[in-house]
């Protein structure tokens, strides 16, 4: 079961959100039939979007992450609701690039770094809040760290990982966002930096341990207190009604065209494996 936990240090200066997202990443892989490197790219983005979504604290709010790095994978989109349930897609799910070392997927090369990472938070009121940065590496975790530092003025360490098995299934996926809260002393910064380098690859921890093990490793020495724990999953919000409304909002001439052809219209959801079929009579 996929899970997010949030914890805070006993002195209140360090907060960590950590996620185990293996299940939802595997679900995304099956829906989109992605190559391992694209699975890793979308999986990292979904994990980050889920952690950001779970911190929105407003019912009905959502966050959309858009990464456009100019690499062979193309644009990556991930959307999370306020509970951390996510969905997403990649423009070119079958894109591939050589590994950068044996067994090491080159996510940065697939994503590219000539572009932007945008985070759009929609609180269902007036204009959504949008923050955008120039990509640092296209490796995604580093790019989110830059986003938090520049757009939200919060010093952040972020690690994200997806481990894909030889048969292309996802063996482990997840990550964490560790943030320094206002007034954090230099000693807290030093300890956090030490912990982050000691933790290493998050998938090494998640393969054998839990999201708790991951959080406790990042929080070593901080006496963390768990504030919140919630189950998350891959969840699409599409429905027949929504798609029919979308079809009916097309140009009048296009709708006339479809009716004239007198064959059912099939519409596929971009985010999941749902397909909706509408009879010509429904287009009245
Ligand atoms: Zn859907």
């Amino acid at each position: 079961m996929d899970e997010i936990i949030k914890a805070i240090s006993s002195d209140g200066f360090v907060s960590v959100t950590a996620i185990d997202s293996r299940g939802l990443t595997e679900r995304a892989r099956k829906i989109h039939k992605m190559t391992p490197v694209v699975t890793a790219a979308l999986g990292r983005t979904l994990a980050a979007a889920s952690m950001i979504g779970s911190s929105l604290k407003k019912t009905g709010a959502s966050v959309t992450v858009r990464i456009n790095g100019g690499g062979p994978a193309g644009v990556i989109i991930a959307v999370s609701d306020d509970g951390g349930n996510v969905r997403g897609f990649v423009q070119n799910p079958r894109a591939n690039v050589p590994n950068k070392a044996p067994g090491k997927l080159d996510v940065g090369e697939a994503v590219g770094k000539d572009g932007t990472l945008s985070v759009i938070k929609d609180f269902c009121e007036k204009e959504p809040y949008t923050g955008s940065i120039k990509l640092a590496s296209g490796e995604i975790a580093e790019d989110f760290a830059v986003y938090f530092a520049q757009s939200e003025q919060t010093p952040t360490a972020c690690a994200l990982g997806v481990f894909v098995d030889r048969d292309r299934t996802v063996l482990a996926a997840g990550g964490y966002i560790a943030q320094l809260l206002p007034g954090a002393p230099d000693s807290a910064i030093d300890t956090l930096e030490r912990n982050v380098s000691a933790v290493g690859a998050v998938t090494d921890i998640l393969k054998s341990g839990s999201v708790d093990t991951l959080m406790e490793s990042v929080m070593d020495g901080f006496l963390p207190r768990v504030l919140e724990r919630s189950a998350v999953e891959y969840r699409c919000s599409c429905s027949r009604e929504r798609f029919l409304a979308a079809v009916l909002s097309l140009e009048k001439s296009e709708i006339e065209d479809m009716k004239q052809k007198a064959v059912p219209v099939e519409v596929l959801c971009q985010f999941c494996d749902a397909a909706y079929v509408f009879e010509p009579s429904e287009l009245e």
Side-chain angles (χ1 to χ4, degrees):
M1 187 191 66
D2 293 343
E3 192 177 30
I4 287 184
I5 59 169
K6 293 175 201 293
I8 192 157
S9 60
S10 61
D11 60 11
F13 288 130
V14 185
S15 80
V16 168
T17 302
I19 184 170
D20 180 346
S21 53
R22 194 206 67 79
L24 67 89
T25 310
E26 173 64 6
R27 173 90 174 99
R29 181 190 74 84
K30 282 190 172 147
I31 292 169
H32 300 299
K33 303 176 178 61
M34 299 178 285
T35 55
V37 72
V38 177
T39 301
L42 180 60
R44 291 180 189 183
T45 312
L46 288 169
S50 175
M51 288 191 277
I52 297 171
S54 72
S55 67
L56 293 173
K57 295 188 175 30
K58 182 172 188 239
T59 309
S62 66
V63 62
T64 301
V65 173
R66 186 177 191 277
I67 298 175
N68 185 3
V75 176
I76 302 172
I77 304 279
V79 183
S80 173
D81 67 17
D82 64 296
N85 300 298
V86 279
R87 59 188 188 275
F89 66 87
V90 178
Q91 196 178 4
N92 304 312
R94 251 72 97 198
N96 214 351
V97 295
N99 284 358
K100 59 182 167 189
K104 273 203 92 53
L105 299 167
D106 198 343
V107 174
E109 191 62 31
V111 173
K113 58 177 176 181
D114 187 17
T116 52
L117 164 85
S118 304
V119 176
I120 303 133
K121 294 181 180 174
D122 188 348
F123 293 96
C124 329
E125 53 193 24
K126 293 176 257 165
E127 289 293 291
Y129 167 89
T130 303
S132 204
I133 56 128
K134 257 178 72 69
L135 288 171
S137 67
E139 291 282 339
I140 301 176
E142 191 186 349
D143 303 302
F144 273 103
V146 172
Y147 162 78
F148 284 113
Q150 287 184 5
S151 276
E152 302 198 0
Q153 285 80 48
T154 309
T156 302
C158 177
L160 303 164
V162 174
F163 189 90
V164 183
D165 205 359
R166 280 166 184 274
D167 66 0
R168 295 196 163 193
T169 56
V170 177
L171 268 191
Y176 63 81
I177 293 171
Q179 299 189 309
L180 290 166
L181 303 174
D186 288 349
S187 60
I189 301 171
D190 295 343
T191 308
L192 185 60
E193 279 178 355
R194 242 192 340 267
N195 290 356
V196 163
S197 57
V199 166
V202 295
T203 48
D204 285 345
I205 294 185
L206 290 170
K207 263 188 261 179
S208 54
S210 66
V211 71
D212 291 82
T213 326
L214 178 58
M215 180 278 288
E216 283 157 11
S217 312
V218 181
M219 280 289 214
D220 190 29
F222 286 113
L223 305 170
R225 184 162 56 89
V226 175
L227 300 174
E228 216 179 299
R229 180 185 294 279
S230 48
V232 292
E233 63 179 12
Y234 193 98
R235 190 183 291 173
C236 189
S237 60
C238 71
S239 70
R240 211 181 139 70
E241 290 67 36
R242 277 193 194 198
F243 273 98
L244 182 57
V247 170
L248 293 178
S249 69
L250 292 172
E251 290 285 327
K252 241 191 156 77
S253 60
E254 287 184 70
I255 297 176
E256 278 310 314
D257 244 30
M258 290 184 224
K259 285 201 300 202
Q260 219 123 69
K261 282 182 190 139
V263 289
V265 180
E266 189 186 49
V267 190
L268 303 172
C269 178
Q270 273 182 303
F271 288 101
C272 72
D273 38 14
Y276 299 94
V277 178
F278 301 104
E279 296 299 326
S281 61
E282 288 180 275
L283 304 178
E284 295 301 336

